[in-house]
Every structure is written in C-alpha cells, then in structure tokens.
Amino acid sequence: MSVDSLRPDDTGQAGEGTAQFELLQELLWAYGPGGQEDAVRDICRRELSPLVDEAWVDPAGNVVGLLRGAAGEGGPPIRVMAHMDELSMLVKRIFPDGSLHLTHLGTMYPGNFGLGPVAVLGDQEMLRGVLTLGSEHTTAESPRIFATKPDQGGKALDWSDVYVFTGRTPEQLRDAGVRPGTRVCIDASKRGLVAFGDFVGCYFLDDRAAIVVLLETARELHSGRRPDSDVYFVFTTNEEVGGVGGSYASRTLPGELTLGVEVGPTEEEYGTTVAGGPIVVYSDAECVYDKPIADRLMDIGARLGLDPQPAVVGAFEADPSHAKATGLTAQAGLLCLPTLSTHGYEVIARQAIPSVTEMLTEFLRQPR
C-alpha cells in the first residue's frame, strides 16, 4: 500500500480524498460513547463483512470478523483489536433551569476538548447544547468562574466548574429521554479532519484511525495472500473505561495472542515523535508486553523500511494490556499510530495509517 493512499486535499479542510479518508471521516462524525457505540458499530460491521468469512456482534457488543487461515495446520488464531468507543461525558444531574451537570466517561477533562457545542444523546431525541463555564466578565461574586481564572484563583478547570446549557426545561428533557446516565458527546461540528502539511488532525482519532487500519488490513489479507492462521478482527466496546469488550473477546475467542492497534503518545519521555514510524510498545501501565511479539513487530517494521519506534509508556493502557493483566490472554502485543496530543486534538502523520497497515498485514501473515 502506498503511503499516499490516505491523502486529504491541501486546502486545510478534509474534502473528497480517497475511500480510506472518506471512511475515516465518516467514523469521526459517528458518535460512539462507551456502552453506546451503535453508530460506529454499524459502520464497522458494514465495512468488515465483505472482507471476512464470518462476521457477528458478540454479547459484549463487539464486532467480530473471522478470516480463516490458508494453511490447514497453521498456528493458533490471533485476535487483533481496535476500539469503537470514544471519550465522552455522562449526565450526573439536571438543574431546575434545564442545565446539565456532567461527569466524564473515560480519562478526560473539560480542557481536552474545550467549551462549545455538544450532542446530548437522549433516548427519544438527540439534543444540542453548549458546554460552558459562564462569563469571564465576572468577579469574586461568581466564585465558580472566578476560581478558574489564571490571574485570580488559578484553579484548573474541572467537571464541577462547567455545565451544559440546553435551552430546554426539565420536562422537555424528560420527554427527550435525557436523565442521569445519558451520554453527552462533542458535537459533530467539531469533528472534521483538518489537513496541514504532512499531517492531519481531529478529535477522536483514538481509535477511529486504528479502526481504518484494521479494515484496510482485512482488505489486504482478503484480496491477497492470506495468513496461515485464523485471524479474528475485533472492534471492541468500552475500552476507555477498563477494556471491557477486549477482555471479553480475549476470554471467549480462540487463540493465545491479543494484539491491539491504538494511538500512541509522542513525547520526549518516550523517545517517540509524531513524524516517526509505527510505535511498538514494550510496556504500559497495565502490563509488560511479550518481548518476542514486540521484537517481531520491530523486525518487520525495519525490514519494510518503516523506521518503527520502540517505546515503554506510562499513564497508558489498552485492550491487550487489560487482557494480559487479568490473565485473559496468554500473550499480548501493541502496535500504535504515532499521535500528538492523545486524548485531545489529536494529530497523526498522513503516512501513519498506511504504514501501520503494512506492518500489521505482514505480521499477521508471518507472526513468528
């Protein structure tokens, strides 16, 4: 696959582009909060089904596709995963004026995505509102706002400081099916890919870019030389809140290896850069990955001329590390797209998706 296969236009906004790019944008516009990944799941199943021998949704809500190996006596099946859920918010309580008090679903803070429009996913109706702190033109008589001013209280902005203005009464919210537990997502108007130089940026490339990698890998294996072993492509639920879907799939699907595809942080402390090659993770906050698996990924990346980046990362966890840490998989590996500002406005190089796809495809064909 050419590194030019994912090529937004150079006008600054992502436009027509290739099929892969258009798919990525469709995924980014789809809301997928943890436990309510329906819109993303529909896209994944639609795209995956023609590329595998069987496809289904398991009891955990994961989309699973089985691509049978070419060899009758191949090695153990491999489970390869990318998650469908995104960072989002939950309604904690509703104020008498119809405003919503929130808490987070996944590790994030108001500053990760900024104040602005949000989508409130009511059971009967999707509403739009505005995540707001209130007016900056206030004094100490407005202590909640005053305390967060850098030149006054200097308090970091947190969920207790912000709220969603809905413009609706509590009765109207009830009729729309909005209550505590309702998911609130960053509005689609803030989720358009932007191209600049050799990079593209958007919220929620975690883990929509990795979903595109899995689908493109399935396409390559389906149309070209198949792997010797069976491969289970798994698009998981609830990764951001404990790796629930990936752990379930690791326990219930055949195989010994769970291999994840994720965004990977690019920071000086890890020796990784967003302009570098695919990141191979040797350890994260949850587990130490299997060295033979990581070494094999590094060897493949080097042989393909992709300049892979080995990394030991902290404050990070993923589906395979959750499964390994809880004894649900015998082996685990993690391959990442180098990503700037993970869990914020994320940036990847234009070549990141094709490079990781090429590396993953080769690994699945020859994992040992």
Side-chain angles (χ1 to χ4, degrees):
M1 175 181 293
S2 166
V3 296
D4 291 326
S5 61
L6 184 68
R7 181 65 66 174
D9 63 31
D10 291 313
T11 61
Q13 288 292 331
E16 292 299 320
T18 65
Q20 294 93 344
F21 176 74
E22 291 166 358
L23 175 59
L24 177 58
Q25 182 62 84
E26 183 183 6
L27 287 162
L28 289 165
W29 277 327
Y31 299 125
Q36 197 172 335
E37 299 94 342
D38 310 70
V40 181
R41 179 166 38 243
D42 289 345
I43 298 170
C44 290
R45 191 171 189 181
R46 180 197 76 203
E47 295 293 319
L48 182 64
S49 293
L51 307 176
V52 293
D53 298 302
E54 297 178 47
W56 65 93
V57 176
D58 71 14
N62 302 314
V63 176
V64 184
L66 168 60
L67 185 69
R68 294 191 179 89
E73 299 296 327
I78 296 174
R79 303 174 292 258
V80 59
M81 301 181 177
H83 66 86
M84 298 183 290
D85 62 315
E86 66 191 53
L87 296 169
S88 61
M89 298 152 277
L90 282 174
V91 175
K92 188 172 183 179
R93 61 181 178 271
I94 300 175
F95 291 108
D97 66 351
S99 296
L100 308 177
H101 179 72
L102 305 175
T103 189
H104 55 103
L105 187 60
T107 304
M108 62 177 288
Y109 304 95
N112 288 63
F113 299 102
L115 308 178
V118 294
V120 183
L121 307 186
D123 292 338
Q124 309 303 323
E125 182 184 356
M126 187 197 79
L127 308 176
R128 283 193 166 86
V130 172
L131 182 66
T132 183
L133 169 67
S135 178
E136 286 291 336
H137 296 91
T138 47
T139 69
E141 291 186 44
S142 301
R144 177 180 54 79
I145 304 171
F146 191 79
T148 65
K149 292 185 177 184
D151 59 342
Q152 302 294 339
K155 174 182 176 291
L157 195 66
D158 208 345
W159 294 106
S160 59
D161 303 311
V162 298
Y163 63 95
V164 172
F165 175 77
T166 66
R168 307 287 185 108
T169 66
E171 292 74 24
Q172 289 172 324
L173 293 173
R174 183 192 62 230
D175 292 344
V178 177
R179 57 179 177 270
T182 293
R183 271 66 169 171
V184 178
C185 298
I186 300 302
D187 190 69
S189 61
K190 296 181 69 174
R191 297 159 76 124
L193 266 167
V194 173
F196 55 103
D198 293 330
F199 302 92
V200 293
C202 193
Y203 297 120
F204 309 115
L205 292 175
D206 176 12
D207 207 18
R208 308 301 163 74
I211 288 176
V212 175
V213 167
L214 254 64
L215 290 168
E216 288 303 301
T217 300
R219 194 180 315 278
E220 293 286 331
L221 294 175
H222 181 264
S223 61
R225 181 170 67 85
R226 288 200 174 201
D228 291 340
S229 304
D230 292 349
V231 176
Y232 289 90
F233 292 92
V234 189
F235 300 86
T236 65
T237 59
N238 283 304
E239 187 275 342
E240 297 287 5
V241 288
V244 178
S247 294
Y248 178 84
S250 294
R251 179 175 66 84
T252 57
L253 292 173
E256 299 173 354
L257 169 61
T258 295
L259 179 63
V261 181
E262 263 281 8
V263 297
T266 54
E267 294 295 338
E268 183 179 359
E269 70 170 289
Y270 305 132
T272 52
T273 69
V274 69
I279 296 173
V280 177
V281 180
Y282 277 78
S283 177
D284 68 16
E286 284 287 314
C287 86
V288 176
Y289 291 98
D290 289 84
K291 189 174 184 297
I293 303 300
D295 288 346
R296 177 64 179 152
L297 287 166
M298 287 294 298
D299 290 344
I300 289 171
R303 178 165 55 82
L304 294 173
L306 298 174
D307 297 321
Q309 305 180 81
V312 172
V313 299
F316 186 95
E317 52 200 44
D319 277 328
S321 61
H322 282 293
K324 181 71 183 288
T326 52
L328 298 176
T329 185
Q331 297 176 314
L334 184 62
L335 180 62
C336 294
L337 299 97
T339 306
L340 181 68
S341 300
T342 53
H343 280 204
Y345 192 89
E346 294 165 328
V347 174
I348 62 173
R350 293 177 187 250
Q351 75 269 18
I353 288 177
S355 293
V356 175
T357 298
E358 187 177 4
M359 198 161 152
L360 178 62
T361 300
E362 185 64 20
F363 177 86
L364 293 175
R365 282 178 176 150
Q366 293 185 310
R368 296 166 184 83

